[in-house]
Amino acid sequence: MARRSGETVQDRIVALIHDRGLVPGEAMPTEPQLMDLLGASRNSVREAVRALQALGIVEIRHGFGTFVGKASLDVLSPSLEFRIRSGSQGAVKALHDLVEIREILETGLIARVAGTTTASRLSALDALVTAMQTDLEADRAFHALLYESSGNELVLQLIDLFWQVYHQVEPILGAPDSVMEDIVANHRRIVDALRAQDPVAASEAMRQHFRGVKARIARAESTA
């Protein structure tokens, strides 16, 4: 396998995956085969594979071998959380920036799916809104289900990543200002707009949802 200038063993393993057209779940060459193909030492190959495993690019199944991974964006959660907590302008400001990105994504997407939400999906969203009163994961599932019909897997992963990181860092904001009934009502308005197939109302309902979140962040910034 020809080397490209400046490439690491890690880079060359990724190039090998692409060159061979390997897809997630397919078996990788064995360690001795990688050593031979790359002209690299055992230690170099092992270090590169471990690094790629941390990125989700490869998956090590003990007793079975190494396989191409799915490279889920979940692996970015620890580094994104760290970036927010150690933000140069403070963690609260960094969290505000994260929420702003979420708002831009979700207010645009909700308008796009307003006319494609099926009756069965609306029923599922109704059930998740009800479940939010006692289950935080219902909120996560709600935001994922909202955009399922978009067909954009990357967007779904990004929204889930941002949701995870926000709730990991959220305790720095102190106690919530909104009571659960208000949070549930905000989500209910979103579902009502989807049921009416009204993209403008859906976007406004989503903005109202984020207004509450941003107001809480603003209060935390004022006391920081």
Side-chain angles (χ1 to χ4, degrees), residues 27-219:
M28 291 281 295
T30 63
E31 185 178 272
Q33 288 172 331
L34 286 173
M35 292 167 58
D36 183 56
L37 287 165
L38 305 176
S41 68
R42 185 181 301 275
N43 283 343
S44 295
V45 168
R46 285 184 178 177
E47 287 176 10
V49 169
R50 280 197 293 266
L52 293 173
Q53 180 187 26
L55 295 172
I57 293 174
V58 303
E59 177 186 350
I60 299 173
R61 302 177 192 172
H62 295 289
F64 295 94
T66 303
F67 298 79
V68 179
K70 295 180 179 178
S72 168
L73 295 186
D74 286 348
V75 298
L76 299 178
S77 180
S79 57
L80 184 53
E81 180 183 351
F82 178 82
R83 182 183 178 90
I84 289 172
R85 291 185 182 277
S86 59
S88 60
Q89 298 181 58
V92 176
K93 173 62 171 66
L95 190 57
H96 170 273
D97 292 346
L98 176 74
V99 168
E100 193 169 68
I101 294 170
R102 278 189 64 193
E103 182 181 14
I104 291 168
L105 270 176
E106 297 207 41
T107 52
L109 280 168
I110 197 71
R112 287 180 55 186
V113 302
T116 62
T117 308
T118 62
S120 61
R121 186 170 286 125
L122 287 167
S123 296
L125 289 169
D126 281 331
L128 287 169
V129 171
T130 301
M132 278 178 205
Q133 299 181 66
T134 56
D135 183 7
L136 179 61
E137 283 296 314
D139 182 75
R140 180 179 183 177
F142 178 90
H143 284 268
L145 186 58
L146 277 179
Y147 312 111
E148 198 174 71
S149 63
S150 72
N152 190 321
E153 185 178 343
L154 183 57
V155 159
L156 295 177
Q157 288 191 30
L158 278 172
I159 287 172
D160 191 59
L161 171 65
F162 294 154
W163 188 97
Q164 288 182 64
V165 173
Y166 172 78
H167 285 282
Q168 286 161 358
V169 184
E170 180 191 21
I172 68 173
L173 299 177
D177 301 301
S178 302
V179 296
M180 185 52 66
E181 287 75 13
D182 291 337
I183 295 171
V184 169
N186 283 340
H187 287 78
R188 188 75 69 193
R189 274 190 288 271
I190 294 170
V191 180
D192 289 343
L194 293 178
R195 184 169 280 112
Q197 297 188 349
D198 186 336
V200 174
S203 291
E204 179 53 34
M206 186 60 73
R207 285 192 191 92
Q208 186 168 342
H209 166 53
F210 278 104
R211 280 190 202 111
V213 178
K214 290 166 75 175
R216 183 183 175 195
I217 292 174
R219 279 188 282 273

